[in-house]
């Protein structure tokens, strides 16, 4: 009974974390190449709405997912064009796009509010889902959930184990040296920003077609900012980003368990739904504060260095800066 | 003369682009663009009451926009304005509920308390930036969530109305704590005067003082400014609290002049809109009122779309944000062209 409950909770955390995982991994890829896509919160909203609207009108969930990815990729393309080609400030363009996408999603999504529609069908993976514990937690979901897990593995493999992945790191870390070695920095940044954007779009689709079915006002609100914070929290490393995502999922699950507890009946639900967001962002602040520096200084230097590397990542050297390639 | 004319014409291009984009959006949902624009315009200007609403809606936008001109000048993305508005409103509400004095002292104290509350919350954002070493965007967002949580907790616990707490807020303030309106119009002259004073002060602070110059230096290159002896930390904290103070004033005005009580959504996205206003103004306070007027008119006019055309009023938001995006793209495009021309000239020479 107890273990059953635990397995069920873990499985629901894996499923519920899908959008955060997809969006954070997409953002990690884009930031690794040096481009901050700050529009996440808006991109997710607009792609969630588009994904649902397309699936609703065509009856095809696959088309919905593809449309959502196209929207995410398009927004990312605008950011890449504005910041790389037109040399506008990345953060400014991203922020404006966040708001534009949210307004667009509200306006265009109006006819689809609270309409029942299609969803991604449940598809346990044969054999794998029979493995005790691991099976029900990881392999008893639907396609989008599997894609989110796959995105972590693929992003890690690509960035750390392949030749083009090393180029990607080089473009983000030291664009000058990459360019001197004959890498087309601008083109790679375009490509990876758009790929990352497509993943963000899929994150939107995972909302409206898998975990919070349908579309309504403020359907996805706040999740994009969390994803952006988790990328920093995870130090731009796919594995640690994924850990951050599932930790956030755990926090949310704990919140809803506490909320059902009779001791907290008087606390308004808004507190429970917004507390994980605030906690997550303050965890980030704490981790980077000087207090941690002082604590680390108390430890022997070797241990301190390793611990520092384990809990805090370093941002790519060229992140957010425009590189003039001439 | 010709150059000036060209400048004006180029200024119109982004507006036309934004109108074109909004037109496409309207066509997608099968609505008539001209009819929609006509409804927004009428909704904002058809009567003295509506025009007064537009002026009243300008107030928080101008205050937040001017405040963010200060932080942007220092190179800071103060996204925590939303929370600073809430804290200002909370401080002002405390005064309104606890000090049962005549109107003049109560309103004076509410305004001062609002400024204080916002400035404190702004200073926290600054402290997190300076000593927390995390991008101010995340510090600001975290503080926004925290302020929102605090507001809801206050409304649901100590400030609960006698007939039970709801999301519609506290009991109405006692009479003296309401900022008086101009005749039957929903605009408070005191709020307008305070706002204009804030614009003038911010303008002179940024343009005519050493402090403004130092902020500009920090915004352009933080490290060089520090090396050249600008006391960056204290300047940064003052910039954050100045912006917070202005946002807090906006919060006090919103609960005293607009709602007459404290509500959970007291900030109502004004902080984020103010950020767009400041971006569009290019961080120059003198341009903020005009842009805020445009934003406010669209905001007041849009609900008419729901009444008359069964369209969602977020179309107004689409129009506002697409203007900002179009300005960025057109500016970038002009700079790109200028660079290309310069390079062609250099190559020819």
């Amino acid at each position: 009974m107890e273990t059953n409950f635990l397995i069920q909770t873990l499985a629901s955390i894996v499923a519920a974390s899908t959008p955060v995982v997809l969006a954070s991994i997409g953002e990690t890829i884009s930031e690794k190449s040096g481009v901050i896509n700050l529009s996440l919160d808006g991109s997710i909203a607009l792609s969630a709405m588009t994904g649902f609207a397309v699936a609703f009108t065509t009856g095809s969930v696959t088309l919905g997912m593809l449309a959502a990815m196209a929207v995410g990729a398009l927004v990312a393309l605008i950011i890449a064009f504005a910041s790389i080609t037109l040399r506008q400030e990345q953060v400014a363009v991203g922020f404006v796009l966040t708001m534009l996408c949210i307004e667009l999603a509200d306006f265009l999504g109006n006819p689809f509010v609270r309409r029942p529609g299609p969803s991604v069908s449940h598809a346990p993976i044969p054999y794998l889902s029979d493995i005790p514990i691991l099976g029900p937690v990881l392999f008893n979901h639907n396609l989008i959930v599997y894609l989110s897990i796959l995105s972590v593995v693929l992003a890690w493999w690509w960035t750390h184990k392949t030749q083009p992945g090393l180029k990607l790191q080089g473009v983000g870390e030291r664009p000058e040296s990459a360019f001197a070695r004959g890498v087309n920095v601008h083109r790679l940044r375009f490509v990876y920003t758009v790929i990352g954007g497509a993943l963000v779009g899929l994150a939107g689709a995972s909302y409206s077609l898998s975990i919070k079915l349908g579309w309504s006002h403020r359907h996805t609100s706040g999740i994009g900012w969390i994803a952006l914070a988790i990328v920093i929290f995870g130090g731009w490393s796919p594995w640690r980003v994924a850990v951050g995502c599932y930790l956030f999922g755990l926090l949310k699950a704990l919140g809803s368990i506490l909320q059902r507890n009779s001791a907290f009946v008087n606390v308004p639900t808004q507190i429970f739904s917004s507390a994980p967001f605030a906690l997550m962002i303050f965890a980030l602040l704490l981790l980077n504060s000087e207090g941690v520096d002082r604590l680390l200084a108390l430890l022997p230097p070797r241990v301190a260095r390793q611990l520092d590397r384990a809990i805090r990542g370093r941002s790519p050297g060229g992140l957010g800066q425009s590189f003039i390639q001439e | 003369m010709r150059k000036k004319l060209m400048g004006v014409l180029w200024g119109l291009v982004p507006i036309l682009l934004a109108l074109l984009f909004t037109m496409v959006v309207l066509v997608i949902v099968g609505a008539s663009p001209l009819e929609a624009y006509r409804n927004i315009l009428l909704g904002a200007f058809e009567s003295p009451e509506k025009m007064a609403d537009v002026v009243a809606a300008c107030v928080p936008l101008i205050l937040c926009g001017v405040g963010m001109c200060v932080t942007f000048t220092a190179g800071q993305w103060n996204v925590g304005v939303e929370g600073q508005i809430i804290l200002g409103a909370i401080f002002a509400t405390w005064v309104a509920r606890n000090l049962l004095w005549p109107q003049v002292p109560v309103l004076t104290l509410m305004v001062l308390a609002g400024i204080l509350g916002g400035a404190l919350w702004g200073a926290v954002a600054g402290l997190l930036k300076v000593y927390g070493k995390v991008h101010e965007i995340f510090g600001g967002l975290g503080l926004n969530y925290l302020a929102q949580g605090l507001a809801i907790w206050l409304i649901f616990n100590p400030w609960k109305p006698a007939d039970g707490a709801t999301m519609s807020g506290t009991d109405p303030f006692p009479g003296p704590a309401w900022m008086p309106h101009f005749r039957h119009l929903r605009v408070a002259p005191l709020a307008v005067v305070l706002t204009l004073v804030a614009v003038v002060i911010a303008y002179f602070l940024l343009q005519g003082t050493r402090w403004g110059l130092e902020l500009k230096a920090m915004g352009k290159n933080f490290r060089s400014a520090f090396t050249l002896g600008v006391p960056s930390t204290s300047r940064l904290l003052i910039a954050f609290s100045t912006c917070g103070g202005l946002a807090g004033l906006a919060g006090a005005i919103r609960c005293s002049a607009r709602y007459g009580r404290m509500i959970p959504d007291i900030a109502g996205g004004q902080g984020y809109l103010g950020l767009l206003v400041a971006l569009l103004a290019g961080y120059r306070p003198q341009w903020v009122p005009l842009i805020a007027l445009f934003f406010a008119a669209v905001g007041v006019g849009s609900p008419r779309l729901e009444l008359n055309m069964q369209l969602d009023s977020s179309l107004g938001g689409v129009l506002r944000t697409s203007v900002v995006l179009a300005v960025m793209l057109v500016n970038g495009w002009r700079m790109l062209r200028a660079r290309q021309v310069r390079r062609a000239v250099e190559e020819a020479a």
Side-chain angles (χ1 to χ4, degrees):
Chain A
M1 180 61 203
E2 277 294 294
T3 46
N4 249 343
F5 174 73
L6 202 64
I7 288 172
Q8 264 174 21
T9 312
L10 285 179
S12 72
I13 288 172
V14 169
S17 301
T18 309
V20 193
V21 171
L22 284 167
S24 306
I25 293 294
E27 182 68 20
T28 305
I29 295 171
S30 162
E31 289 193 12
K32 276 239 172 235
S33 81
V35 179
I36 305 173
N37 178 353
L38 197 80
S39 76
L40 252 53
D41 213 47
S43 295
I44 293 175
L46 189 58
S47 53
M49 188 284 293
T50 314
F52 180 72
V54 168
F56 182 88
T57 30
T58 62
S60 159
V61 173
T62 318
L63 276 183
M65 282 164 62
L66 289 175
M69 289 174 79
V71 166
L74 180 69
V75 177
L77 184 67
I78 298 175
I79 290 185
F81 175 71
S83 66
I84 297 171
T85 312
L86 300 183
R87 293 192 206 164
Q88 296 292 296
E89 207 185 328
Q90 277 171 17
V91 176
V93 177
F95 195 86
V96 173
L97 275 170
T98 307
M99 299 193 63
L100 178 58
C101 289
I102 291 174
E103 305 280 8
L104 268 178
D106 272 346
F107 183 74
L108 294 172
N110 201 26
F112 303 98
V113 170
R114 278 184 254 288
R115 302 278 286 272
S119 61
V120 187
S121 46
H122 182 77
I125 298 182
Y127 307 115
L128 286 181
S129 57
D130 296 332
I131 305 173
I133 304 177
L134 221 53
V137 172
L138 290 179
F139 303 113
N140 190 14
H141 298 285
N142 62 40
L143 178 65
I144 293 196
V145 181
Y146 302 139
L147 284 177
S148 76
I149 300 170
L150 199 64
S151 75
V152 179
V153 183
L154 274 181
W156 168 77
W157 175 73
W158 186 262
T159 49
H160 287 80
K161 296 283 157 189
T162 69
Q163 195 67 32
L166 284 178
K167 253 188 212 167
L168 158 67
Q169 301 227 34
V171 162
E173 289 289 348
R174 281 164 179 259
E176 314 81 16
S177 337
F179 183 61
R181 282 165 187 251
V183 176
N184 188 337
V185 175
H186 284 180
R187 187 197 295 159
L188 277 188
R189 285 190 167 176
F190 260 97
V191 168
Y192 283 112
T193 308
V194 170
I195 293 175
L199 278 178
V200 173
L202 193 60
S206 75
Y207 247 116
S208 55
L209 297 172
S210 168
I211 62 158
K212 196 173 166 189
L213 295 179
W215 174 250
S216 61
H217 180 62
R218 290 195 160 197
H219 199 75
T220 60
S221 161
I223 212 71
W225 298 114
I226 285 299
L228 278 160
I230 288 177
V231 174
I232 303 175
F233 187 78
W236 293 267
S237 136
W239 286 122
R240 280 164 45 198
V241 165
V243 169
C245 294
Y246 292 119
L247 218 66
F248 176 68
L250 181 71
L251 271 179
K252 273 178 72 168
L254 281 179
S256 56
I257 291 170
L258 280 182
Q259 202 177 337
R260 270 175 266 144
N261 190 316
S262 55
F264 298 96
V265 174
N266 289 324
V267 185
T269 52
Q270 285 82 2
I271 300 264
F272 280 107
S273 47
S274 69
F277 291 80
L279 264 179
M280 197 70 208
I281 288 169
F282 281 106
L284 196 68
L285 290 168
L286 268 182
L287 207 58
N288 285 284
S289 66
E290 282 177 7
V292 176
D293 284 336
R294 271 186 219 131
L295 281 182
L296 284 175
L298 297 177
L299 296 168
R302 255 190 67 199
V303 183
R305 211 173 318 130
Q306 282 186 349
L307 198 65
D308 185 38
R309 214 175 297 157
I311 59 169
R312 298 199 281 200
R314 216 174 36 78
S315 66
L319 183 62
Q321 288 155 12
S322 64
F323 169 66
I324 295 151
Q325 172 175 315
E326 267 163 4
Chain B
M1 185 61 208
R2 190 153 166 249
K3 213 173 164 191
K4 213 165 190 178
L5 188 71
M6 284 300 283
V8 172
L9 285 180
W10 270 113
L12 289 177
V13 172
I15 299 176
L16 289 177
L17 280 177
L19 284 175
L20 201 71
F21 176 73
T22 323
M23 214 177 261
V24 172
V25 171
L26 281 162
V27 170
I28 290 177
V29 299
S32 151
L34 288 181
E35 185 66 16
Y37 295 147
R38 203 178 66 91
N39 268 296
I40 294 181
L41 269 178
L42 279 179
F45 298 112
E46 66 184 345
S47 64
E49 288 81 9
K50 291 286 172 132
M51 284 191 242
D53 287 353
V54 172
V55 174
C58 277
V59 165
L61 286 177
I62 295 178
L63 286 170
C64 297
V66 165
M68 273 180 277
C69 286
V70 174
T71 40
F72 268 127
T73 302
Q76 300 299 310
W77 273 79
N78 186 6
V79 184
V81 171
E82 199 80 352
Q84 290 149 21
I85 297 174
I86 297 177
L87 258 285
I90 287 177
F91 272 49
T93 304
W94 186 87
V95 171
R97 292 177 61 90
N98 291 290
L99 304 179
L100 305 171
W101 296 345
Q103 190 160 39
V104 175
V106 160
L107 283 181
T108 313
L109 271 182
M110 277 176 80
V111 163
L112 291 176
I115 295 176
L116 178 70
L120 283 177
W121 210 241
V124 175
L127 286 172
L128 285 175
K129 164 75 181 184
V130 176
Y131 298 106
K133 288 196 221 152
V134 156
H135 201 289
E136 66 274 11
I137 287 187
F138 295 105
L141 284 170
L143 289 172
N144 286 351
Y145 281 117
L146 207 63
Q148 184 71 68
L150 182 63
I152 292 175
W153 179 78
L154 283 169
I155 290 169
F156 276 76
N157 290 291
W159 293 348
K160 187 164 60 177
D163 53 351
T166 62
M167 288 303 277
S168 55
T170 62
D171 282 328
F173 291 162
W178 289 64
M179 222 176 250
H181 287 177
F182 181 70
R183 302 211 179 127
H184 70 290
L185 300 174
R186 278 183 302 236
V187 60
L190 175 63
V192 177
V193 171
L194 285 172
T195 304
L196 292 179
V197 171
V199 176
V200 174
I201 291 179
Y203 176 77
F204 281 108
L205 271 181
L206 287 180
Q207 302 296 327
T209 65
R210 188 190 163 86
W211 184 73
L213 203 65
E214 286 175 343
L215 277 194
K216 256 179 227 167
M218 281 162 52
K220 290 253 189 292
N221 190 331
F222 197 87
R223 195 166 291 170
S224 328
F226 181 75
T227 319
L228 289 173
V230 175
S232 314
T233 304
S234 73
R235 291 293 175 275
L236 211 60
L237 288 179
I238 296 174
F240 270 106
S241 7
T242 307
C243 179
L246 291 168
L249 175 59
I253 289 173
R254 267 171 79 84
C255 65
S256 167
R258 186 182 167 110
Y259 297 102
R261 63 202 153 92
M262 176 69 187
I263 60 167
D265 191 30
I266 194 76
Q270 301 297 308
Y272 297 120
L273 286 178
L275 200 154
L276 294 182
V277 171
L279 275 180
L280 211 48
Y283 320 151
R284 287 162 302 184
Q286 65 270 36
W287 287 99
V288 164
L290 189 69
I291 293 160
L293 184 68
F294 163 65
F295 271 51
V298 173
V300 171
S302 300
R304 221 180 127 108
L305 294 171
E306 278 173 35
L307 291 174
N308 290 2
M309 295 176 74
Q310 284 76 50
L311 290 174
D312 194 84
S313 62
S314 50
L315 182 79
V318 175
L319 182 59
R320 286 189 291 222
T321 40
S322 53
V323 169
V324 188
L325 184 65
V327 167
M328 289 178 169
L329 295 179
V330 170
N331 278 348
W333 178 255
R334 289 181 66 191
M335 268 151 44
L336 180 72
R337 289 291 302 160
R339 278 197 302 274
Q340 284 170 344
V341 168
R342 208 179 320 136
R343 203 176 313 143
V345 170
E346 274 166 15
E347 269 165 24

